[in-house]
């Protein structure tokens, strides 16, 4: 019997449970763990609310959605659970158990040896994805020049209840992510694509590696990994064939672009507020009426697509992101003209009657970044991660302004301005976490 249920553990926020009651032991057990779509389901809506792609049409209340959107002094109440942190470490724990237990199995034959190695590689890719997410939500950007000393997140790699991990540095998390992905890519017989979109393969590992290097500002390595990924898979989906944006896992499974399926689902925002989240003015200004991404994701009233009272988000790793990483890396390494054909190809699959861009070399990088924003909004925090790294460059500095419409005076009223590189760009670590583990140092606010 397979037993790997972990969500009932109350102490996982700061202590990883032992594997006493979590004991998969065969290749089939490990494959069943990887078959669970819970690994691909998560919710990082607060990271997207902290960016500049969405807006609240009315004043936000004092709760974690509104607090995140307003960059408040405190996001969480004393007894509130941070669901992003909680669910991510649940999934990391699953992968820790799999990697530990699979490494202990003595294979009976070559097929089992190969299967175990692939299962471990897939677990490492999943674990790396969650560590990279957490590091960029709770830690500083790598490009601030202090990665070796700035704190990110606890690095928990073994399911041991006696271990209370401290926060590792940004550098340590990135080193781990690169090591995990490099190991997975080098695994013999690691398939290009997994059995389904929730199973990692070499293409998704290379894509995630290119994302990692981009966030580090290592554009040469980001370009190399992106090229290797696109050599394996470069399919695009023509959005004019769609009637709805491919947000859910089932939709992603039919999308030839997707390398690794990840989806976000939020149930509670609609229960908290009567209004619906809308596209921000700054993002809306980047779209034309002929852009299918605007048409499919936001309605006539600028409201983000929601269904049955739930918001669905596409967090997948897919070909378009890798193309944009390649284009940005080319623009930043002295080859801006080579970036334009990449943008034009993507736009032909996103915009009705798209024409080729004609852009001066000096404007190609900003053009790439605008296209990246159009393609990857509400993508599990990628825009927030971009804001943090781009704020290190004088030409891309940006204030985040929060304003609400004043119906009495018929104008927008500014209620908050967040300056570039503010400590509020880092998600608060919930008091419930720091109280349970005094070695976890809170983020400055």
């Amino acid at each position: 019997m397979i037993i790997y249920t972990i969500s009932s553990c109350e102490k996982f926020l700061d202590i990883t449970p032992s594997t006493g009651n979590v004991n998969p032991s065969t290749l089939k057990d490990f494959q069943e763990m990887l078959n669970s779509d819970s690994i691909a389901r998560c919710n990082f809506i607060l990271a997207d609310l902290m960016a500049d792609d969405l807006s609240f049409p009315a004043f936000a209340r004092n709760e974690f959605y509104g607090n995140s959107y307003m960059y408040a002094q405190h996001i969480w109440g004393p007894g509130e659970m941070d669901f992003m942190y909680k669910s991510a470490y649940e999934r990391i724990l699953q992968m820790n158990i799999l990697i530990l237990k699979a490494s202990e199995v003595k294979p009976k034959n070559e097929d089992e040896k190969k299967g175990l190695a692939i299962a471990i590689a897939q677990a490492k890719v999943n674990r790396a994805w969650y560590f990279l997410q957490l590091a960029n939500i709770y830690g500083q950007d790598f490009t601030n020049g202090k990665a070796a000393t700035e704190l990110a997140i606890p690095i928990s790699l073994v399911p041991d209840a006696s271990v209370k991990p401290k926060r590792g540095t940004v550098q340590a998390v990135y080193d781990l992510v690169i090591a995990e992905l490099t190991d997975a890519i080098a695994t013999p017989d690691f398939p290009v694509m997994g059995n389904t979109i929730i199973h990692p393969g070499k293409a998704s590992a290379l894509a995630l590696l290119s994302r990692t290097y981009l966030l580090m500002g290592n554009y040469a390595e980001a370009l190399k990994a992106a090229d290797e990924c696109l050599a394996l898979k470069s399919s695009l989906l023509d959005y004019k064939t769609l009637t709805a944006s491919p947000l859910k896992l089932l939709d992603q499974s039919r999308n030839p672009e997707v390398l690794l399926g990840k989806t976000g689902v939020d149930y509670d925002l609609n229960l908290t507020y009567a209004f619906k989240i809308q596209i921000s003015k700054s993002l809306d200004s980047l779209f034309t009426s002929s852009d299918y991404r605007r048409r499919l994701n936001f309605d006539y009233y600028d409201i983000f697509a929601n269904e049955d009272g739930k918001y669905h988000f596409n967090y997948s790793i897919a070909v378009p992101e890798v193309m944009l990483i390649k284009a940005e890396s080319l623009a930043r390494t002295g080859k801006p003209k080579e970036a334009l054909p990449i943008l034009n190809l993507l736009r032909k699959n996103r915009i009705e009657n798209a024409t080729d861009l004609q852009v001066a070399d000096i404007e190609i990088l900003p053009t790439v970044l605008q296209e990246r924003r159009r393609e990857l909004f509400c993508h599990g925090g990628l825009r927030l991660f971009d804001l943090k790294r781009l704020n290190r460059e004088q030409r891309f500095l940006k204030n985040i302004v929060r304003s609400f419409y004043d119906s009495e005076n018929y104008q927008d009223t500014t209620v908050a301005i967040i300056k570039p590189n503010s400590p509020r760009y880092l998600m608060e670590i919930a008091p419930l976490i720091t109280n349970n583990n005094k070695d976890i140092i809170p983020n400055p606010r």
Side-chain angles (χ1 to χ4, degrees), residues 52-63:
D52 56 352
D53 288 340
L54 298 172
S55 72
F56 278 12
F59 194 78
R61 292 201 298 270
N62 182 23
E63 44 65 52

Side-chain angles (χ1 to χ4, degrees), residues 260-304:
L260 181 62
K262 299 285 183 186
T263 188
V265 184
D266 185 87
Y267 297 88
D268 293 336
L269 181 58
N270 276 341
L271 300 177
T272 305
Y273 291 103
F275 58 74
K276 306 291 189 287
I277 53 176
Q278 297 177 335
I279 189 171
S280 69
K281 291 181 180 179
S282 64
L283 176 59
D284 201 21
S285 69
L286 299 180
F287 286 110
T288 64
S289 60
S290 57
D291 197 313
Y292 291 109
R293 292 167 293 194
R294 174 63 167 87
R295 295 181 188 177
L296 293 169
N297 286 287
F298 298 93
D299 68 12
Y300 177 80
Y301 300 99
D302 301 335
I303 294 173
F304 186 79

Side-chain angles (χ1 to χ4, degrees), residues 3 56 61 65 95 97 176 254 261 269 282 333 336 351 357:
I3 305 174
F56 278 12
R61 292 201 298 270
Y65 292 112
M95 298 303 98
I97 292 168
L176 171 65
R254 300 165 180 156
L269 181 58
S282 64
T333 55
I351 301 172
L357 294 168

Side-chain angles (χ1 to χ4, degrees), residues 108-129:
K108 300 179 180 65
N109 52 55
E110 283 300 311
D111 284 346
E112 187 175 48
K113 180 180 179 181
K114 180 175 74 172
L116 289 167
I118 291 173
I120 291 171
Q122 291 179 327
K124 286 184 174 182
V125 175
N126 276 318
R127 186 165 70 176
W129 188 86

Side-chain angles (χ1 to χ4, degrees), residues 101-207:
K101 292 295 185 178
S103 300
E104 294 173 349
V105 174
K106 294 182 179 180
K108 300 179 180 65
N109 52 55
E110 283 300 311
D111 284 346
E112 187 175 48
K113 180 180 179 181
K114 180 175 74 172
L116 289 167
I118 291 173
I120 291 171
Q122 291 179 327
K124 286 184 174 182
V125 175
N126 276 318
R127 186 165 70 176
W129 188 86
Y130 277 103
F131 273 131
L132 190 63
Q133 283 288 116
L134 292 170
N136 280 280
I137 292 171
Y138 299 94
Q140 285 283 4
D141 54 294
F142 190 95
T143 53
N144 80 337
K146 301 176 183 178
T149 55
E150 291 276 12
L151 296 179
I153 54 169
I155 301 174
S156 176
L157 300 178
V158 292
D160 185 344
S162 66
V163 176
K164 282 190 173 184
K166 300 178 181 179
R167 295 176 69 185
T169 64
V170 173
Q171 179 78 58
V173 178
Y174 273 80
D175 286 347
L176 171 65
V177 168
I178 291 171
E180 298 271 76
L181 297 173
T182 303
D183 285 351
I185 292 164
T187 299
D189 300 307
F190 194 38
V192 171
M193 295 289 293
N195 293 335
T196 73
I197 58 158
I198 67 170
H199 294 87
K202 187 174 292 185
S204 61
L206 285 164

